[in-house]
């Protein structure tokens, strides 16, 4: 009797344990390894310190589902990187990346401490618009740049593309303090469509920091890393592709400093009311980030749907700060096996802390220290056949791949609800840090509760934002 009862209890325990395990570590269908083209990656490092943006005009145009297309533009003279070798370029990128993450965390902490309600702005009719997206390496920044026309007549300039910002701005004459940019500084008096905003306008009231002088709205944006911009808040005509859009709120910065060297200003693609998607009244946009060591271009498109074959994830919002795009991530797998990490590692709490955002401006994906340690250890377990190398800056898992042409490395994939999975190409997480064959695992730990999916992991994938349906889509090889 007891034997029979014990047997039944034992079977019940096994069944219960199996159910719990399957919820925490679901079975997945993915390859355990993927191929890294070492030789090609090293070749690109040798080209990265010498390419010029004016090579763009020799390339063919991109097919696009958008009804407007912006042609590729050459530049009379574009300076190359100021770094003599790829190692120093890498260290400079990582230094800027640390400053970037610091600025995002400062912004979030400020919002949690003192959130400011804003009112709905008047926006334009929805349109489908497209602009080119270019790696910012030659521009003196680690960010990505888009080419837009400002004013009437339109003057085309390169502006930093940033999903972590809402306020659009550019440097304006006269300059009290301006950094060096590769094109002449914008002169508001030369544009017939430039109009300063008064202090009682919805646009001015939507600013987090604003002042009023002679009934004119003044703006100021500080990024937490020492970068800042301040000046008049105005409306201006933006020409994006073949479409001209009037009355876009933009900061006309007369005092600017920081890490934006080379660009004329910044184009905010965040989720706030002053960001470009909101001002265009578009319910969707997408971008594809080109290889950081490439002189090729892709596009940023507005008003286009997420493809039906895209890997889809929930788009979540933080009630304390509507700028950032949070992602419904459920887990990470390495070598085809799910990491044993708590589900709460990627969840946002009631105070607006935690969670994971996707960001175009951060280079290297940041994970909570415990999550990163699990990923690193699983990856290292699958690379015991590779020669180890000393760590570089924030990278603690590096390898000497000199003399190798291709290698197999453990696969890495992001997992989302409903069994959706985004497998990363090996080149998006094993990256070269010099020209002699040192490669590092391109993830980093953070002591913050906020995790960030950076642009290195997004390269070569079109990332689509369906704002109306709260979805993010990932489409590989659709740049």
């Amino acid at each position: 009797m007891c034997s029979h009862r014990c047997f039944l209890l034992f079977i019940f325990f096994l069944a219960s344990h199996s159910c719990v395990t399957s919820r925490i570590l679901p079975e997945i269908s993915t390859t355990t390894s993927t191929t890294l083209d070492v030789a090609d990656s090293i070749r690109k490092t040798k080209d990265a310190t010498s390419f010029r943006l004016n090579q763009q005009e020799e390339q063919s145009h991109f097919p696009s589902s958008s009804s407007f297309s912006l042609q590729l533009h050459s530049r009379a003279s574009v300076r190359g990187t100021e770094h003599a070798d790829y190692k120093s370029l890498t260290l400079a990128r990582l230094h800027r990346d640390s400053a970037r993450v610091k600025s995002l965390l400062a912004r979030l902490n400020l919002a949690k401490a003192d959130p400011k309600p804003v009112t709905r702005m008047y926006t334009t009719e929805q349109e489908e618009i497209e602009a080119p997206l270019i790696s910012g390496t030659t521009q003196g920044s680690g960010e990505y740049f888009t080419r837009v026309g400002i004013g009437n007549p339109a003057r085309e300039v390169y502006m930093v593309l940033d999903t972590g910002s809402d306020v659009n701005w550019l440097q304006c004459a006269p300059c009290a303090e301006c950094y060096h940019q590769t094109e002449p500084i914008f002169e508001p008096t030369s544009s017939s469509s430039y109009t300063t905003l008064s202090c009682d306008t919805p646009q001015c009231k939507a600013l987090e920091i604003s002042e009023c002088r002679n009934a004119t709205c003044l703006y100021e944006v500080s990024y937490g890393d020492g970068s800042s911009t301040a000046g008049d808040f105005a409306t201006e005509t933006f020409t994006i592709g073949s479409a001209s859009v009037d009355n876009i709120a933009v900061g006309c910065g007369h005092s600017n400093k920081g890490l934006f060297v080379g660009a004329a200003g910044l184009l905010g693609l965040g989720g706030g009311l002053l960001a470009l998607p909101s001002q265009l009244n578009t319910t969707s946009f997408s971008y594809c980030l080109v290889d950081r060591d490439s002189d090729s271009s892709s596009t940023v498109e507005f008003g286009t749907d997420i493809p039906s074959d895209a890997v889809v994830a929930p788009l979540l919002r933080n009630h304390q700060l509507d700028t950032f795009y949070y992602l419904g991530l459920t887990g990470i797998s390495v070598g085809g096996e799910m990491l044993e990490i708590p589900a709460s590692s990627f969840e946002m709490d009631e105070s607006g802390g935690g969670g994971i955002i996707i960001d175009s401006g951060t280079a290297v994906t940041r994970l909570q220290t415990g999550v990163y340690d699990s990923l690193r250890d699983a990856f290292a377990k699958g690379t015991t056949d590779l020669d180890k190398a000393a760590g570089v800056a924030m990278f603690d898992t590096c390898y000497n791949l000199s003399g190798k042409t291709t290698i197999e490395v453990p696969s890495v994939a992001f997992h989302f609800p409903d069994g959706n999975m985004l497998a990363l190409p090996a080149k998006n997480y094993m990256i070269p840090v010099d020209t002699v064959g040192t490669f590092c695992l391109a993830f980093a730990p953070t002591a913050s509760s906020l995790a960030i999916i950076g642009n290195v992991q997004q390269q070569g994938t079109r990332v689509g934002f369906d704002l109306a349906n709260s979805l993010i889509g990932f489409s590989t090889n659709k740049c």
Side-chain angles (χ1 to χ4, degrees), residues 32 37 73 126 134 138 150 157 217 224 237 249 260-261 277 307 324 337 342 356 373 426:
T32 59
D37 191 333
H73 294 271
Q126 179 175 340
I134 298 170
T138 4
I150 305 292
V157 295
C217 182
T237 297
F260 302 103
V261 175
F324 298 156
E337 296 184 6
I356 182 166
D373 289 346

Side-chain angles (χ1 to χ4, degrees), residues 64 212 427 458 466:
S64 171
C212 196
K427 65 179 181 179
Q458 299 175 53
D466 184 341

Side-chain angles (χ1 to χ4, degrees), residues 1-17:
M1 186 79 164
C2 176
S3 170
H4 180 67
R5 186 184 305 112
C6 291
F7 177 77
L8 290 177
L9 288 172
F10 178 70
I11 294 298
F12 175 77
F13 170 79
L14 285 180
S16 301
H17 180 71

Side-chain angles (χ1 to χ4, degrees), residues 420-444:
N420 292 327
M421 179 191 74
L422 177 65
L424 301 178
K427 65 179 181 179
N428 283 20
Y429 57 89
M430 270 285 277
I431 66 172
V433 296
D434 56 30
T435 58
V436 296
T438 306
F439 283 68
C440 296
L441 178 65
F443 290 85

Side-chain angles (χ1 to χ4, degrees), residues 228-263:
S228 64
T229 176
D232 299 316
F233 208 44
T235 58
E236 184 57 287
T237 297
F238 276 38
T239 302
I240 307 173
S242 58
S244 291
V245 185
D246 297 329
N247 300 318
I248 296 294
V250 59
C252 195
H254 301 294
S255 178
N256 319 283
K257 60 181 179 180
L259 301 177
F260 302 103
V261 175

Side-chain angles (χ1 to χ4, degrees), residues 99 102-103 177 221-229 256-260:
K102 178 182 177 182
S103 72
E177 179 182 9
V221 179
S222 297
Y223 292 92
D225 59 1
S227 301
S228 64
T229 176
N256 319 283
K257 60 181 179 180
L259 301 177
F260 302 103

Side-chain angles (χ1 to χ4, degrees), residues 36-287:
L36 174 67
D37 191 333
V38 176
D40 184 62
S41 294
I42 293 177
R43 178 187 60 78
K44 289 179 179 177
T45 66
K46 295 177 179 179
D47 294 339
T49 55
S50 61
F51 65 72
R52 294 292 188 274
L53 286 177
N54 59 13
Q55 296 170 5
Q56 305 277 341
E57 64 176 356
E58 300 172 5
Q59 301 173 4
S60 59
H61 303 317
F62 301 96
S64 171
S65 57
S66 177
S67 60
F68 295 99
S69 176
L70 181 60
Q71 302 298 318
L72 300 176
H73 294 271
S74 65
R75 299 189 43 172
S77 68
V78 177
R79 65 182 179 85
T81 176
E82 60 189 12
H83 303 283
D85 57 75
Y86 193 81
K87 179 68 173 290
S88 61
L89 172 61
T90 297
L91 293 175
R93 285 172 170 171
L94 296 179
H95 174 74
R96 288 193 297 268
D97 199 45
S98 295
R100 165 69 178 188
V101 171
K102 178 182 177 182
S103 72
L104 293 180
L105 295 178
R107 175 85 189 281
L108 179 60
N109 291 334
L110 179 63
K112 289 168 62 179
D114 185 25
K116 175 184 176 181
V118 293
T119 55
R120 172 61 60 181
M121 290 175 53
Y122 175 79
T123 54
T124 65
E125 293 299 317
Q126 179 175 340
E127 293 186 82
E128 292 186 355
I129 304 173
E130 173 192 335
L133 197 56
I134 298 170
S135 173
T137 302
T138 4
Q139 298 291 327
S141 167
E143 314 299 336
Y144 285 83
F145 287 65
T146 187
R147 188 77 164 163
V148 296
I150 305 292
N152 185 17
R155 259 201 50 207
E156 290 185 340
V157 295
Y158 282 104
M159 299 180 74
V160 173
L161 177 83
D162 189 6
T163 58
S165 298
D166 291 328
V167 178
N168 309 301
W169 62 267
L170 75 160
Q171 297 200 114
C172 287
C175 272
E177 179 182 9
C178 286
Y179 58 80
H180 173 73
Q181 67 179 59
T182 56
E183 297 156 312
I185 290 175
F186 181 73
E187 176 58 72
T189 58
S190 67
S191 171
S192 63
S193 53
Y194 177 86
T195 306
T196 56
L197 287 164
S198 62
C199 302
D200 59 353
T201 56
Q203 295 97 322
C204 187
K205 292 179 180 179
L207 289 166
E208 291 183 2
I209 302 176
S210 63
E211 294 182 12
C212 196
R213 181 185 301 164
N214 298 326
T216 298
C217 182
L218 305 180
Y219 81 99
E220 180 181 355
V221 179
S222 297
Y223 292 92
D225 59 1
S227 301
S228 64
T229 176
D232 299 316
F233 208 44
T235 58
E236 184 57 287
T237 297
F238 276 38
T239 302
I240 307 173
S242 58
S244 291
V245 185
D246 297 329
N247 300 318
I248 296 294
V250 59
C252 195
H254 301 294
S255 178
N256 319 283
K257 60 181 179 180
L259 301 177
F260 302 103
V261 175
L266 181 143
L267 198 63
L269 292 186
L273 299 178
L274 291 172
L276 191 60
S278 179
Q279 294 203 58
L280 294 176
N281 198 29
T282 184
T283 58
S284 63
F285 72 94
S286 70
Y287 60 73

